[in-house]
Amino acid sequence: MDQSLAIRNMKMSLRILNIVLIATLVIVASCILLLFGLLVVALTVSGEKVSKLVLDSNIDISFKFNGITVFLNKDIMSNFVYDKSETIVLILLSMIFTLIVMTIFVLLWKFVRSVIVGDVFTLRNSKRIELIACSLFILSFLSNTVQAYLISTVVHMFLNNNELDNIEWIQSVSFKFFDMNWRILLCSFIVWTIGRIFRYGSFLQEEYDATV
């Protein structure tokens, strides 16, 4: 009786996780559509219109990034210089990053669905887990690149280099575009190991089914 209750609770948890993954996929897909819309705007709208729109705005913007709070007020926006090529590259990098994230969630969703119907140790599931590991491996290189390019774009567009040079405690500003996120890399190796375990489990399951 306790075992059947545990199985029902597990299935209920998997169904809840399935709903959460679907909701996450909707959010990520919306982000991709938003980035695509921004890309269309960046390609079609002239730089003069964008610069005029930003310079004429009276909106104060603040956002947190890696523990740093950035304030973009009217005084800082008065230094705004629009760079169309940088904007397009940033949007494209963000789209690639978001597409890879969406791929991971799609694979997770398919994996959870197969577990709900009872297909756990299968070759298809092992391949899904290994694909997730490969996606995480790519993100380990792309993550810091997107972050560095975002900061670089904000600095180039909103901050005047002469003002940075006049700050005594800032000697130089450099950006590391090609760097590795070791935490994501470690996660990719762990997930890949789990995928290999599932592959071995699928082999044992086939052997068991063949003998029965």
Side-chain angles (χ1 to χ4, degrees), residues 121-137:
F121 290 102
T122 63
L123 183 61
R124 186 173 296 178
N125 276 344
S126 67
K127 289 181 178 179
R128 286 168 180 160
I129 296 174
E130 290 171 6
L131 283 174
I132 291 173
C134 292
S135 300
L136 288 171
F137 181 78

Side-chain angles (χ1 to χ4, degrees), residues 2-211:
D2 293 337
Q3 186 176 3
S4 62
L5 180 61
I7 292 173
R8 286 199 300 270
N9 290 336
M10 179 63 69
K11 287 185 176 180
M12 180 63 68
S13 300
L14 289 172
R15 291 191 182 98
I16 294 173
L17 179 59
N18 184 55
I19 295 172
V20 172
L21 287 172
I22 292 174
T24 305
L25 283 172
V26 172
I27 294 172
V28 176
S30 301
C31 292
I32 293 174
L33 290 175
L34 176 62
L35 288 170
F36 182 77
L38 291 175
L39 180 63
V40 172
V41 171
L43 290 172
T44 55
V45 178
S46 64
E48 290 77 11
K49 288 184 179 180
V50 175
S51 297
K52 187 176 185 303
L53 179 65
V54 174
L55 293 174
D56 292 343
S57 65
N58 294 319
I59 302 175
D60 292 338
I61 302 173
S62 66
F63 60 91
K64 291 185 178 180
F65 188 80
N66 281 350
I68 300 174
T69 303
V70 179
F71 294 97
L72 299 177
N73 53 28
K74 187 175 182 180
D75 294 333
I76 294 177
M77 287 186 175
S78 63
N79 297 322
F80 176 77
V81 178
Y82 180 67
D83 191 318
K84 191 170 188 175
S85 59
E86 277 194 359
T87 303
I88 292 173
V89 172
L90 177 61
I91 294 173
L92 287 175
L93 284 174
S94 301
M95 287 184 69
I96 294 171
F97 183 88
T98 310
L99 283 170
I100 296 174
V101 171
M102 185 173 183
T103 300
I104 293 174
F105 280 108
V106 168
L107 292 169
L108 279 174
W109 173 61
K110 290 183 177 180
F111 173 77
V112 171
R113 282 182 58 195
S114 67
V115 174
I116 290 174
V117 299
D119 296 331
V120 182
F121 290 102
T122 63
L123 183 61
R124 186 173 296 178
N125 276 344
S126 67
K127 289 181 178 179
R128 286 168 180 160
I129 296 174
E130 290 171 6
L131 283 174
I132 291 173
C134 292
S135 300
L136 288 171
F137 181 78
I138 296 172
L139 287 184
S140 67
F141 292 94
L142 189 61
S143 174
N144 288 345
T145 300
V146 174
Q147 293 181 32
Y149 202 88
L150 174 60
I151 297 173
S152 171
T153 302
V154 171
V155 169
H156 290 164
M157 287 189 184
F158 290 97
L159 299 178
N160 192 319
N161 289 332
N162 294 327
E163 292 183 359
L164 290 177
D165 294 336
N166 292 330
I167 301 176
E168 295 181 358
W169 53 274
I170 296 181
Q171 294 182 350
S172 63
V173 178
S174 62
F175 301 98
K176 208 170 183 180
F177 295 106
F178 302 101
D179 195 10
M180 186 181 297
N181 191 315
W182 292 100
R183 288 175 295 182
I184 299 179
L185 183 65
L186 178 61
C187 288
S188 69
F189 282 119
I190 293 173
V191 173
W192 182 82
T193 303
I194 295 172
R196 301 304 294 183
I197 293 172
F198 267 77
R199 185 179 289 269
Y200 181 65
S202 67
F203 171 75
L204 294 179
Q205 185 68 46
E206 289 176 0
E207 290 290 320
Y208 176 79
D209 294 338
T211 54

